[in-house]
Amino acid sequence: MNIRTTRRGFLTGAAAAGAALVVGLKPNGSWAAAHGGAFVPNPFVRIDPDGTVTVILKHFEMGQGTSTGLTTLIAEEMDADWETIQIEFAPADTVTYMNTLMGVQGSGGSTAIANSFMQYREAGAAAKSLLVMAAAEEGGVDAGTVTAEKGTLSSGDNTASYGEAMAWVKEGATPNPVLKDPSQFTLIGTDHIPRKDSVAKTTGTATFAMDVMPEGVVYAVMQRSPKFGGTVVSFDDTAARAVPGVVDVKQTPMGVVVYGTNTWAAEQGRQALTVEWDFTNAETRSTSDMEAEYLAALDGEGLPARNDGDAAAALASAAKTIEAEFHFPFLAHAPMEPLNSVVQIADGKCQVWDGCQFHTVTQGAVGAVSGVGAENTSIETVYAGGSFGRRANFNSDYEVEATMAALALGDGRPVKLVWSREDDVRGGYYRPMVVHRVKAGVTAEGNLDAWHSSIATKSIFTGTPMGDAVVVNGVDVFSVEGVADTEYTIPNLAVDLRNMETPVSVLWWRSVGHSHSGYAMEVAMDMAAEAAGRDPVEFRQTLLANEPRTLAVLNMAAEKAGWGGDLPDGWGRGVAVHKSFNTRVAQVAEVSVTDGVVKIERIVAAVDLGVAVNPDVIRAQVEGAIGYGLGHAMRQKITFTDGEVDQSNFPDYEPLRISDMPKIEVHIVQSAEAPTGIGEPGLPPAAPAVANAIYAAMGKRVMRLPMVDDGIEFA
Amino acid sequence: MAITLNINGSAHEVDAPEDMPLLWAIRDVLGMTGTKFGCGVASCGACTVHVDGEPTRACQTPIGSVGEAAVTTIEGLSGPVAEAVQSAWQDLDVVQCGYCQSGQIMSAVGLLTENPKPDDQAIDDYMWGNVCRCATYTRIRAAIHEASSRMEA
Ligand code: FES
Ligand code: FES
């Protein structure tokens, strides 16, 4: 290692001489020389000659905070400077950037931190070890004397920046990563370190796919079948082509595409288009027809998903029983950024710009549809304006549509296919509609002895490439999760499933099966507690005696919320606790009722997700999941009349607004367990906690979502 | 027929029909992408810009109606209120996906310009039209209070 002044002088001269010379001035065979001036010790981190450390993010950023989380892991082990460390989204490269919990490159199931925790830390530690060893050799000191802090190495009086030290790393040097002991963490677990995406997103400079406008871009919108499963018979584009700015109209297998010099022109053109559809194989039922079929199916036999003891016999002999029938609508994800992507097919290559959630699938699908193959398909991932699950699906539907649009135009120009909000609300890939019946029985002593859940819904995974893995004997685990795998100890427990069919496409929606099962389970649990004559918290505590981590969040939420304490007149308190994605969350809700009008006042949440990497991001995710869950539980639904979606845009698919948002407190259990996810688990307990609070305040059990359809009026 | 728009202090020629919404002129014609499309029907606030200082939904503002008025987008936002709002937003880490936040910030600046000390009710009333699907609303409230106190300092 050199004395700072000497080294500085050397580097200044090198930098002034230009990039090519910089490489030449470095020791022969240095890593940076071999990598075009940058030090790339592994696929997850790069150091530029100016010392800038850049983290390569294998997960996309839809707001869930992974760009901060993954960067924290590397910066921690590398002792990089948080202020200056940069982020960059990884290219599509399944082998290098695989989500080890999913087996593909992609994000979902609240797995980003869980699968990256060791990998990214090791990447950071490996990079640092190479810098330390190189600097020690250069300075003729023992590596053990070298310490690192905020991107600077020190040994005695000697210091070197990472930018200086990287030039000394020899090509082929072997890293020796040693992970920090948690007691040495300075970033992981810090209550609040600034998000890496905050500045860009508060100055309008963050690039979303909607903002990608390459040279020569053509804007496009697609007219899709108004009923799911309909196909184009013919279309008349005379009026559409007459719209100023419309440049072309083409038919694709997914619908009719109108191209324009801007999005608005394309949209005007689409409105002037007339298309004749074939609805032979389309969904033509109304929601009431579907509901009748679901109810009839529930009256018949189901496929067993869990069968402990003898629920039927225990119910027959129970001292008291409760029965409940819960209705859950289809729901659209409606991420704030309407779906869109830009695709260019030229010279045997395909370039995609996308808020890409499922790189492996998208690369394969776009490569196949474009005809250039996955190996010639590149994806540039940009910020995604929300997803909630929508941007990942086995068809890569919206990227494939953009590819078809580019292929149909056929002139090599990039095509940006934009969905309107109406396209999004009516576009399917919904959280499936569900009807869930519960019967529960308690003993004369007030113990929960029997539970029978009967569920009717459309499977998300059946018929997909992952179907074989998760559909067992006809039971899609995601249709029954949250009940069939409940942590409550119930001696006689039966769960059965009816698989319903519809051409309406369905998809995972923030928290997947838990988005409905958590509600049915936790509201029915309150009904059972009431039948048993027991306090809802105390009743659950007994049933969770074998699950100490879940019991602990329940106790924490109850204590922090002041469970059992006084409330103003007309207020009610409710509790719910639910494990999903291996994260435990309990919530206590408080509502007020004034002249029959409900206001959700406060939610107190307790979460256990193992090691809390970024506590402030975790709090934000829980706040957001509560809001997202409550908005849909209060007012949102997708319904059909004669196969057509009744809703179209935010005026009738009414999102949660600021005036609906309760005060939220999030408490995080201190834990040394391996981290689990937080994007989704905050959602399932929110709506049932509110429903239970509404019951406490006004004696009304809310059995149908959205709650406004069950007679609840919100302020 | 070209229309001249006064955006962020400079004149921009837009060769487009008069009924083209300001949103699409700003984004697709002029390439300024900080202003977002969320609904197109004045129901989400993602497209909020200032027209002569007034928060306005650009998706429902035909360019032919703008005339000489001064249009400000997130790119051109400046001044003490804007600085207070943006710094409070950053320090409280309000953003999640971020897609709604240009519009939230434009509205918040409008609110604090008109009412430098809003209470929660005033915030909810003014910000009601700005949807955040990530539900960052508790932090939006907190950041507006924080910006308000920074403006006093
Ligand atoms: S895009 Fe203008 S209000 Fe939604
Ligand atoms: S931050 Fe995602 S919509 Fe507001």
Side-chain angles (χ1 to χ4, degrees), chain A residues 345-370:
Chain A
I345 308 167
D347 307 325
K349 300 227 180 287
C350 185
Q351 174 68 46
V352 181
W353 291 267
D354 184 27
C356 192
Q357 183 165 4
F358 224 5
H359 303 73
T360 304
V361 176
T362 300
Q363 191 179 32
V366 168
V369 170
S370 66

Side-chain angles (χ1 to χ4, degrees), chain A residues 185-268:
Chain A
F185 288 161
T186 58
L187 292 171
I188 293 174
T190 296
D191 189 66
H192 182 191
I193 52 175
R195 282 181 72 114
K196 289 315 286 186
D197 52 354
S198 250
V199 172
K201 289 176 175 178
T202 50
T203 51
T205 54
T207 299
F208 298 85
M210 194 69 90
D211 306 328
V212 174
M213 299 170 179
E215 186 66 29
V217 67
V218 182
Y219 299 83
V221 296
M222 180 183 280
Q223 183 63 49
R224 300 172 189 82
S225 170
K227 299 182 203 283
F228 290 93
T231 51
V232 177
V233 176
S234 64
F235 65 95
D236 178 353
D237 61 7
T238 319
R241 286 179 182 274
V243 170
V246 168
V247 297
D248 214 335
V249 180
K250 298 276 191 192
Q251 185 175 345
T252 73
M254 310 282 271
V256 181
V257 181
V258 181
Y259 304 84
T261 53
N262 58 74
T263 312
W264 184 72
E267 179 60 45
Q268 299 295 105

Side-chain angles (χ1 to χ4, degrees), chain A residues 1-4 6-8 10-11 22 25-33 37 39 49 129-141 146 152-154 158-173:
Chain A
M1 182 173 294
N2 289 59
I3 304 293
R4 178 171 255 296
T6 318
R7 179 54 55 185
R8 243 202 200 152
F10 174 76
L11 269 188
V22 171
L25 283 169
K26 280 175 189 149
N28 281 339
S30 92
W31 201 308
F39 171 48
S129 72
L130 290 168
L131 296 171
V132 167
M133 288 187 290
E137 194 182 331
E138 180 78 9
V141 299
V146 180
T152 301
L153 298 166
S154 313
N158 297 335
T159 62
S161 73
Y162 285 1
E164 292 167 283
M166 63 158 261
W168 307 324
V169 180
K170 304 276 193 306
E171 174 73 2

Side-chain angles (χ1 to χ4, degrees), chain A residues 638-658:
Chain A
I638 294 292
T639 57
F640 295 85
T641 301
D642 300 332
E644 291 190 24
V645 176
D646 297 319
Q647 294 73 26
S648 65
N649 198 323
F650 289 140
D652 52 15
Y653 190 62
E654 284 181 82
L656 184 91
R657 291 180 183 271
I658 192 168

Side-chain angles (χ1 to χ4, degrees), chain A residues 330-463:
Chain A
F330 289 105
L331 291 173
H333 306 70
M336 199 72 214
E337 178 194 11
L339 300 174
N340 71 94
S341 64
V342 184
V343 174
Q344 181 168 29
I345 308 167
D347 307 325
K349 300 227 180 287
C350 185
Q351 174 68 46
V352 181
W353 291 267
D354 184 27
C356 192
Q357 183 165 4
F358 224 5
H359 303 73
T360 304
V361 176
T362 300
Q363 191 179 32
V366 168
V369 170
S370 66
V372 305
E375 65 283 7
N376 291 311
T377 300
S378 319
I379 301 174
E380 184 174 324
T381 298
V382 291
Y383 283 119
S387 172
F388 314 113
R390 180 62 183 86
R391 292 179 202 273
N393 64 69
F394 290 114
N395 304 321
S396 287
D397 69 312
Y398 70 93
E399 296 99 334
V400 162
E401 284 186 356
T403 308
M404 287 175 172
L407 201 61
L409 194 64
D411 62 3
R413 280 188 288 176
V415 171
K416 178 185 183 68
L417 186 78
V418 175
W419 290 48
S420 67
R421 180 60 61 194
E422 290 81 0
D423 294 334
D424 171 56
V425 167
R426 294 181 166 160
Y429 292 91
Y430 300 133
R431 195 286 299 276
M433 173 178 156
V434 183
V435 182
H436 185 151
R437 282 183 185 158
V438 178
K439 289 181 194 163
V442 295
T443 63
E445 297 74 40
N447 295 318
L448 181 63
D449 187 44
W451 186 286
H452 184 183
S453 271
S454 300
I455 298 170
T457 189
K458 179 177 175 177
S459 163
I460 295 168
F461 282 82
T462 300

Side-chain angles (χ1 to χ4, degrees), chain B residues 53-131:
Chain B
E54 274 294 306
T56 303
R57 307 295 185 232
C59 70
Q60 290 293 310
T61 305
I63 51 175
S65 73
V66 177
E68 313 264 284
V71 176
T72 308
T73 68
I74 185 89
E75 290 93 342
L77 201 57
S78 62
V81 179
E83 277 161 33
V85 167
Q86 282 169 310
S87 68
W89 241 252
Q90 288 161 12
D91 292 346
L92 272 61
D93 272 342
V94 171
V95 306
Q96 289 188 28
C97 84
Y99 193 80
C100 73
Q101 299 292 349
S102 294
Q104 303 283 1
I105 286 168
M106 297 308 286
S107 290
V109 170
L111 164 61
L112 288 168
T113 303
E114 190 181 302
N115 176 2
K117 205 104 199 89
D119 60 12
D120 277 354
Q121 186 64 48
I123 293 171
D124 284 6
D125 290 348
Y126 198 95
M127 300 296 292
W128 190 87
N130 283 87
V131 170

Side-chain angles (χ1 to χ4, degrees), chain A residues 336 650, chain B residues 23 36-48 57-60 129:
Chain A
M336 199 72 214
F650 289 140
Chain B
L23 170 65
K36 303 302 187 197
F37 163 59
C39 71
V41 298
S43 188
C44 78
C47 65
T48 305
R57 307 295 185 232
C59 70
Q60 290 293 310

